[in-house]
Amino acid sequence: MSRRRWFRLMRWTAPLCVLTALTLVGTWLDWWSALVGHRVAAWNWVERVSWFVAIGSGVATAVAAFAARRRDQDPPGASNVSMIADTVVIIAGEAYAMPRVVGGVAASIPARRASSGGGADPINQVNERDRLAAALRTDRSSVILVHGRAGGGKTTLVRWVLRETGLARELREHDLGAGPPLDVRALLDDIALGTAVGKRRRPGEDLLSRLEAAMQAPDDEPVTILVQNAQRLVDPDRYSVTSLELNEAFEILSGGLRRVKVILELRDLPVASTAAGWFKDAPRIGIDGLPPQDFGTYVEQLDAADRLGLSSLARTKPDLLYNVLQGVPRRAQLFRTVLTLAGRRLNARELAELLAREAPSARAGRLSEVLVEWLSDEQRLVVIALAAYRVPVTAEQVSGLLANETAAGRVAVVLPELVESTVITAVGHRYHLLSPEVHDELARRPDGPARLLPAAADLLSRCRRPIKSVKRVEDLDLHFAELDIRIRAELWLSAYSLINEMERALSRWQAGHLMLAAREALAGNLGKPFRELQNDNALGCIYLSRGRIDDARTAFESAVQHASRANWRHGRRKLFINLAAVHWEAGDAAQAGEYYLGALGMAEEEYDALDQAAALSGLAKCLRRRGAYPEAIRRGHAALSLAQNGGHRSAVDIAISLARWHSELRDVDEADRLWGIADEAAREHPEDPSLRVRCLDARADLLLDTGYLAEAARIAHQAVTWARELQDPVTVLQARTTLAMVFLRNGHPEQARREIQGADRYRLANRSLVVLALQALTAFATDSETEARSLFRDLQREAVKRHTRDDRDFAAWDFEGLAIVGQRVGSGKPLDSAVEAFRRARDVTPVPPPVLRDRLKFMLELLRVNAAPGEFDAVLATASGTEPKFEPS
């Protein structure tokens, strides 16, 4: 039993024991008769007991008074109410207008105790406050999403609830604006403190496994973690958590026995590719400004001594103040800043009435305009410099930008003045202009930051690391800041050059998508067809990796037009290969094959061996999907020979594909030989560690095909761990699918279900149908039949889409048949349509590859438990290709 439960039990048991003891003693000494009689001895004992009670009461009163005084002296943010003994992870904070980076790569800054921030109490914000408090009080751990516009009161609400629930006292804090992103190691360091398992890993154990162990101890010491500026954890394109490891850490934290609460505070809700896992179960609490009564209290506390007249106005004209500031705390702070700058020259009522004359949509802009007007010339110049940078910078960087416009040493004097008046914010030793409204106002001014942008970009360029010394994505923060400045300054060519330089580093962490917004801004502004072609091609590749098929097709087609204008046949050939990949990802192997054939013809004409290898490899994949194994293998070997002769890394993936196809045909020796070629080629390219990870994943598949289940699981788990570290979602999906199949084969459907749900996070629509099939089967095997039937319907819908595009996609027909059986078996409905789907698959592959045949049969056998006698005979015979065929006489 936990200590908290013991305390609760003792709180009720102790008084009961005391009363019982007094009753027994009184009976033994015959007090009760003495109280109505005249026995002096008994009355002496009553008097003595009264002394003890009086002394005990006095001591208790003194202790309570001491505790109350100590509580009143606690720093703001500390709590005296120990209502919940939880571990809480709060991921909070407003996102700076900073470059987006991938979280979860670097080690976090050391945790520190909470500061006093948080502002006023949301006195009457009962609904949101109670919902957050209720979520914190639940027995199981969970992730909580608190979202809303910047300055809308999210941090105020979160900190107030933490104080009231007793969770702020042991707060540890990570600031993603001032330090590196949050990662699993930082979470483990905080959560493992005081646990029985500790944070030290056993040999071969990965960080997530250690985190999972730390979450299995419900009685361990409580920990509270605050992570500010959580928007930096979110992919700006998908609004999902970027780091694969961190995403899975949230999954672990939301389902452990230890009571961990994760509060993500951010402007926009992240999305999930599937409504599953921690995101599906996370409570959502939207904050879009405070209600009138709370806002009035908040404003009063901003000017508690009423030096600015703000408190008086909040009491006498609450409606006026609420209407002009729209209940947004950040605007109330801006309002106070204007009054502070103006001094006695402007009072609160005059400023409120000035704003009231504006249209509601223009009031925030007008408030920012007044603020800028009340700045001194020196102050305005420094604020403009900060707006040019748009990220936290040092005093030296501001001075460097204003070297020709202000006297030496003045910047160091003005910056603290601006911090004190709350115009800007200090983040460690760096300074930052936070308000987007002030940024917008300065951008409209003729003397605004635009004139400083080229110089600001050049100054950051001198400060950033050389690309060759970049060890993690976070090392590119200044590169991203410089790129943002160059794009705002419309320095298109220098921005284009910087993007190409950065992508060489980003490709190591599968993070090229971080260039999406910048490349979209460059499109159409590069002047020459060759540059536009390269930019459109890169955009198409990013869109394709994100599953945005139509956007990818449009970008590649635009690039083809630029290649035609530039008469660049080499580029046109490569674009045909990329367009083939678009059709492949869309599930149209036939159309993809046409593009690969076109690219192959052009490559053969111009004797380009590597492009021939790429086209042949793609063509082989299309042929295999359509059941033409001999031709697919012939083309694949030709591609492998060309890639090997050129010493190109593509030889790894080509050899892996060939090994898998030979394994499906039960040609084990050839499969092993080809895997050895892939592994050797991967070792020749140490600059790309993802090649070795893909080899591991392929090895696990080959072991699964040959029945070595334990070894397959061990290697697949290692592949998952390494792929997460490299941000490689495709390999994570494939290796987890292997793990799910191993667990299912070994009779552990619960573990299989967990693994396949982990794989499904990275599945794109209409792709990897086996993942959806295993999700449905594991739901069925764990008695979640309603969910299983829903998943089988999804599988049928996606399978139909695939074979509608290409009616020779035999796997799509097989999966449709499986989906129909899953929906109908045991319901009394006929399985004729399933038999017909399997028959269409066997029209393409009369004798299916042995491994695929056995795998399909295994899946069908899992569903047979609900079948009526004889109901499955025709299904199994057709699916396995053993159905009798009757030739017409």
Side-chain angles (χ1 to χ4, degrees), residues 53-54 66 139 174 254 282 378 409 448 465 488 508 630 647 689 698 789 795 838:
V53 171
F66 176 79
D139 288 335
H174 300 272
S254 69
E378 269 189 332
R465 294 187 181 201
R488 282 188 286 136
R508 288 181 239 160
R789 293 187 192 281
L795 176 61
F838 289 130

PDB file of all heavy atoms in Angstrom, residues 53-54 66 139 174 254 282 378 409 448 465 488 508 630 647 689 698 789 795 838:
ATOM      1  N   VAL A  53      -5.229  16.683  27.459  1.00  0.00           N
ATOM      2  CA  VAL A  53      -5.945  17.162  26.275  1.00  0.00           C
ATOM      3  C   VAL A  53      -5.614  18.619  25.994  1.00  0.00           C
ATOM      4  O   VAL A  53      -5.382  19.044  24.864  1.00  0.00           O
ATOM      5  CB  VAL A  53      -7.458  16.962  26.441  1.00  0.00           C
ATOM      6  CG1 VAL A  53      -8.222  17.647  25.312  1.00  0.00           C
ATOM      7  CG2 VAL A  53      -7.796  15.482  26.490  1.00  0.00           C
ATOM      8  N   ALA A  54      -5.548  19.439  27.058  1.00  0.00           N
ATOM      9  CA  ALA A  54      -5.249  20.859  26.882  1.00  0.00           C
ATOM     10  C   ALA A  54      -3.842  21.058  26.343  1.00  0.00           C
ATOM     11  O   ALA A  54      -3.610  21.866  25.440  1.00  0.00           O
ATOM     12  CB  ALA A  54      -5.418  21.598  28.224  1.00  0.00           C
ATOM     13  N   PHE A  66       2.614  27.781  13.097  1.00  0.00           N
ATOM     14  CA  PHE A  66       3.942  27.821  12.461  1.00  0.00           C
ATOM     15  C   PHE A  66       3.860  27.432  10.994  1.00  0.00           C
ATOM     16  O   PHE A  66       4.462  28.064  10.128  1.00  0.00           O
ATOM     17  CB  PHE A  66       4.888  26.890  13.215  1.00  0.00           C
ATOM     18  CG  PHE A  66       6.247  26.794  12.573  1.00  0.00           C
ATOM     19  CD1 PHE A  66       7.196  27.786  12.749  1.00  0.00           C
ATOM     20  CD2 PHE A  66       6.573  25.704  11.772  1.00  0.00           C
ATOM     21  CE1 PHE A  66       8.436  27.694  12.155  1.00  0.00           C
ATOM     22  CE2 PHE A  66       7.813  25.608  11.183  1.00  0.00           C
ATOM     23  CZ  PHE A  66       8.742  26.598  11.368  1.00  0.00           C
ATOM     24  N   ASP A 139      -6.593   8.364 -11.349  1.00  0.00           N
ATOM     25  CA  ASP A 139      -5.637   7.408 -10.808  1.00  0.00           C
ATOM     26  C   ASP A 139      -4.533   7.064 -11.799  1.00  0.00           C
ATOM     27  O   ASP A 139      -3.401   6.817 -11.411  1.00  0.00           O
ATOM     28  CB  ASP A 139      -6.355   6.118 -10.385  1.00  0.00           C
ATOM     29  CG  ASP A 139      -7.188   6.325  -9.130  1.00  0.00           C
ATOM     30  OD1 ASP A 139      -6.859   7.239  -8.364  1.00  0.00           O
ATOM     31  OD2 ASP A 139      -8.171   5.592  -8.942  1.00  0.00           O
ATOM     32  N   HIS A 174      11.908  22.704 -17.688  1.00  0.00           N
ATOM     33  CA  HIS A 174      12.733  22.753 -18.904  1.00  0.00           C
ATOM     34  C   HIS A 174      12.134  23.834 -19.804  1.00  0.00           C
ATOM     35  O   HIS A 174      10.924  23.852 -20.027  1.00  0.00           O
ATOM     36  CB  HIS A 174      12.717  21.417 -19.640  1.00  0.00           C
ATOM     37  CG  HIS A 174      13.248  20.279 -18.824  1.00  0.00           C
ATOM     38  ND1 HIS A 174      14.578  19.944 -18.793  1.00  0.00           N
ATOM     39  CD2 HIS A 174      12.625  19.409 -17.998  1.00  0.00           C
ATOM     40  CE1 HIS A 174      14.754  18.913 -17.986  1.00  0.00           C
ATOM     41  NE2 HIS A 174      13.581  18.565 -17.491  1.00  0.00           N
ATOM     42  N   SER A 254       1.522   7.954 -20.694  1.00  0.00           N
ATOM     43  CA  SER A 254       0.065   8.008 -20.575  1.00  0.00           C
ATOM     44  C   SER A 254      -0.537   6.685 -20.154  1.00  0.00           C
ATOM     45  O   SER A 254      -1.740   6.625 -19.896  1.00  0.00           O
ATOM     46  CB  SER A 254      -0.560   8.449 -21.910  1.00  0.00           C
ATOM     47  OG  SER A 254      -0.394   7.436 -22.879  1.00  0.00           O
ATOM     48  N   ALA A 282      -6.304  11.861 -24.750  1.00  0.00           N
ATOM     49  CA  ALA A 282      -5.897  13.073 -24.031  1.00  0.00           C
ATOM     50  C   ALA A 282      -7.073  14.033 -23.850  1.00  0.00           C
ATOM     51  O   ALA A 282      -7.719  14.404 -24.828  1.00  0.00           O
ATOM     52  CB  ALA A 282      -4.772  13.774 -24.793  1.00  0.00           C
ATOM     53  N   GLU A 378      15.798  55.856 -28.599  1.00  0.00           N
ATOM     54  CA  GLU A 378      16.753  54.781 -28.335  1.00  0.00           C
ATOM     55  C   GLU A 378      16.039  53.450 -28.105  1.00  0.00           C
ATOM     56  O   GLU A 378      16.437  52.409 -28.628  1.00  0.00           O
ATOM     57  CB  GLU A 378      17.597  55.120 -27.106  1.00  0.00           C
ATOM     58  CG  GLU A 378      18.865  55.862 -27.405  1.00  0.00           C
ATOM     59  CD  GLU A 378      19.742  55.974 -26.168  1.00  0.00           C
ATOM     60  OE1 GLU A 378      19.203  55.976 -25.054  1.00  0.00           O
ATOM     61  OE2 GLU A 378      20.970  56.039 -26.338  1.00  0.00           O
ATOM     62  N   GLY A 409      27.795  51.142 -26.027  1.00  0.00           N
ATOM     63  CA  GLY A 409      27.402  50.938 -24.640  1.00  0.00           C
ATOM     64  C   GLY A 409      25.966  51.277 -24.326  1.00  0.00           C
ATOM     65  O   GLY A 409      25.448  50.891 -23.263  1.00  0.00           O
ATOM     66  N   GLY A 448      11.058  50.620 -39.880  1.00  0.00           N
ATOM     67  CA  GLY A 448      10.967  49.352 -39.168  1.00  0.00           C
ATOM     68  C   GLY A 448      12.150  48.438 -39.427  1.00  0.00           C
ATOM     69  O   GLY A 448      13.196  48.853 -39.943  1.00  0.00           O
ATOM     70  N   ARG A 465      27.450  27.657 -36.633  1.00  0.00           N
ATOM     71  CA  ARG A 465      28.456  26.620 -36.831  1.00  0.00           C
ATOM     72  C   ARG A 465      28.600  26.279 -38.309  1.00  0.00           C
ATOM     73  O   ARG A 465      27.614  26.312 -39.046  1.00  0.00           O
ATOM     74  CB  ARG A 465      28.040  25.338 -36.100  1.00  0.00           C
ATOM     75  CG  ARG A 465      28.002  25.442 -34.605  1.00  0.00           C
ATOM     76  CD  ARG A 465      27.740  24.064 -34.025  1.00  0.00           C
ATOM     77  NE  ARG A 465      27.661  24.102 -32.583  1.00  0.00           N
ATOM     78  CZ  ARG A 465      27.831  23.053 -31.806  1.00  0.00           C
ATOM     79  NH1 ARG A 465      28.074  21.875 -32.352  1.00  0.00           N
ATOM     80  NH2 ARG A 465      27.744  23.149 -30.501  1.00  0.00           N
ATOM     81  N   ARG A 488      12.408  36.846 -45.213  1.00  0.00           N
ATOM     82  CA  ARG A 488      11.652  38.079 -44.962  1.00  0.00           C
ATOM     83  C   ARG A 488      12.245  39.244 -45.743  1.00  0.00           C
ATOM     84  O   ARG A 488      11.517  40.155 -46.170  1.00  0.00           O
ATOM     85  CB  ARG A 488      11.654  38.399 -43.469  1.00  0.00           C
ATOM     86  CG  ARG A 488      10.676  37.544 -42.675  1.00  0.00           C
ATOM     87  CD  ARG A 488      10.571  38.022 -41.236  1.00  0.00           C
ATOM     88  NE  ARG A 488      11.735  37.673 -40.449  1.00  0.00           N
ATOM     89  CZ  ARG A 488      12.349  38.489 -39.603  1.00  0.00           C
ATOM     90  NH1 ARG A 488      11.941  39.744 -39.469  1.00  0.00           N
ATOM     91  NH2 ARG A 488      13.394  38.086 -38.909  1.00  0.00           N
ATOM     92  N   ARG A 508      20.607  13.623 -42.546  1.00  0.00           N
ATOM     93  CA  ARG A 508      21.102  12.596 -41.625  1.00  0.00           C
ATOM     94  C   ARG A 508      20.040  12.183 -40.619  1.00  0.00           C
ATOM     95  O   ARG A 508      20.094  11.089 -40.072  1.00  0.00           O
ATOM     96  CB  ARG A 508      22.334  13.127 -40.857  1.00  0.00           C
ATOM     97  CG  ARG A 508      23.571  13.251 -41.695  1.00  0.00           C
ATOM     98  CD  ARG A 508      24.720  13.757 -40.828  1.00  0.00           C
ATOM     99  NE  ARG A 508      25.267  15.001 -41.342  1.00  0.00           N
ATOM    100  CZ  ARG A 508      25.994  15.852 -40.629  1.00  0.00           C
ATOM    101  NH1 ARG A 508      26.247  15.584 -39.363  1.00  0.00           N
ATOM    102  NH2 ARG A 508      26.460  16.959 -41.168  1.00  0.00           N
ATOM    103  N   PRO A 630       9.404 -13.813 -61.487  1.00  0.00           N
ATOM    104  CA  PRO A 630      10.622 -14.063 -62.278  1.00  0.00           C
ATOM    105  C   PRO A 630      11.142 -12.813 -62.979  1.00  0.00           C
ATOM    106  O   PRO A 630      12.347 -12.520 -62.936  1.00  0.00           O
ATOM    107  CB  PRO A 630      10.175 -15.129 -63.282  1.00  0.00           C
ATOM    108  CG  PRO A 630       9.029 -15.820 -62.608  1.00  0.00           C
ATOM    109  CD  PRO A 630       8.321 -14.753 -61.851  1.00  0.00           C
ATOM    110  N   GLY A 647      29.361   1.709 -57.130  1.00  0.00           N
ATOM    111  CA  GLY A 647      29.637   1.908 -55.703  1.00  0.00           C
ATOM    112  C   GLY A 647      28.591   2.775 -55.023  1.00  0.00           C
ATOM    113  O   GLY A 647      28.891   3.482 -54.053  1.00  0.00           O
ATOM    114  N   PRO A 689      23.996   6.033 -41.512  1.00  0.00           N
ATOM    115  CA  PRO A 689      23.713   4.911 -40.604  1.00  0.00           C
ATOM    116  C   PRO A 689      22.349   4.268 -40.832  1.00  0.00           C
ATOM    117  O   PRO A 689      22.116   3.142 -40.396  1.00  0.00           O
ATOM    118  CB  PRO A 689      23.787   5.555 -39.210  1.00  0.00           C
ATOM    119  CG  PRO A 689      23.576   7.007 -39.441  1.00  0.00           C
ATOM    120  CD  PRO A 689      24.140   7.298 -40.795  1.00  0.00           C
ATOM    121  N   ALA A 698      15.525  -5.908 -42.409  1.00  0.00           N
ATOM    122  CA  ALA A 698      15.387  -6.970 -43.413  1.00  0.00           C
ATOM    123  C   ALA A 698      15.796  -8.320 -42.830  1.00  0.00           C
ATOM    124  O   ALA A 698      15.164  -9.351 -43.116  1.00  0.00           O
ATOM    125  CB  ALA A 698      16.236  -6.646 -44.638  1.00  0.00           C
ATOM    126  N   ARG A 789     -14.308  -5.469 -36.234  1.00  0.00           N
ATOM    127  CA  ARG A 789     -15.150  -5.352 -37.436  1.00  0.00           C
ATOM    128  C   ARG A 789     -15.003  -3.979 -38.086  1.00  0.00           C
ATOM    129  O   ARG A 789     -14.997  -3.849 -39.313  1.00  0.00           O
ATOM    130  CB  ARG A 789     -16.603  -5.632 -37.085  1.00  0.00           C
ATOM    131  CG  ARG A 789     -16.842  -7.081 -36.672  1.00  0.00           C
ATOM    132  CD  ARG A 789     -18.321  -7.397 -36.500  1.00  0.00           C
ATOM    133  NE  ARG A 789     -18.500  -8.683 -35.838  1.00  0.00           N
ATOM    134  CZ  ARG A 789     -18.395  -9.866 -36.449  1.00  0.00           C
ATOM    135  NH1 ARG A 789     -18.113  -9.906 -37.731  1.00  0.00           N
ATOM    136  NH2 ARG A 789     -18.570 -10.991 -35.769  1.00  0.00           N
ATOM    137  N   LEU A 795     -10.034  -1.850 -43.669  1.00  0.00           N
ATOM    138  CA  LEU A 795      -9.133  -2.626 -44.518  1.00  0.00           C
ATOM    139  C   LEU A 795      -9.764  -2.897 -45.876  1.00  0.00           C
ATOM    140  O   LEU A 795      -9.112  -2.758 -46.920  1.00  0.00           O
ATOM    141  CB  LEU A 795      -8.784  -3.942 -43.821  1.00  0.00           C
ATOM    142  CG  LEU A 795      -7.915  -4.930 -44.620  1.00  0.00           C
ATOM    143  CD1 LEU A 795      -6.567  -4.311 -44.955  1.00  0.00           C
ATOM    144  CD2 LEU A 795      -7.735  -6.235 -43.844  1.00  0.00           C
ATOM    145  N   PHE A 838     -10.555 -13.703 -53.286  1.00  0.00           N
ATOM    146  CA  PHE A 838      -9.381 -14.578 -53.319  1.00  0.00           C
ATOM    147  C   PHE A 838      -9.186 -15.178 -54.714  1.00  0.00           C
ATOM    148  O   PHE A 838      -8.049 -15.351 -55.176  1.00  0.00           O
ATOM    149  CB  PHE A 838      -9.509 -15.696 -52.284  1.00  0.00           C
ATOM    150  CG  PHE A 838      -9.381 -15.230 -50.857  1.00  0.00           C
ATOM    151  CD1 PHE A 838     -10.326 -15.583 -49.896  1.00  0.00           C
ATOM    152  CD2 PHE A 838      -8.314 -14.444 -50.471  1.00  0.00           C
ATOM    153  CE1 PHE A 838     -10.199 -15.160 -48.588  1.00  0.00           C
ATOM    154  CE2 PHE A 838      -8.180 -14.006 -49.155  1.00  0.00           C
ATOM    155  CZ  PHE A 838      -9.136 -14.372 -48.218  1.00  0.00           C
TER     156      PHE A 838
END
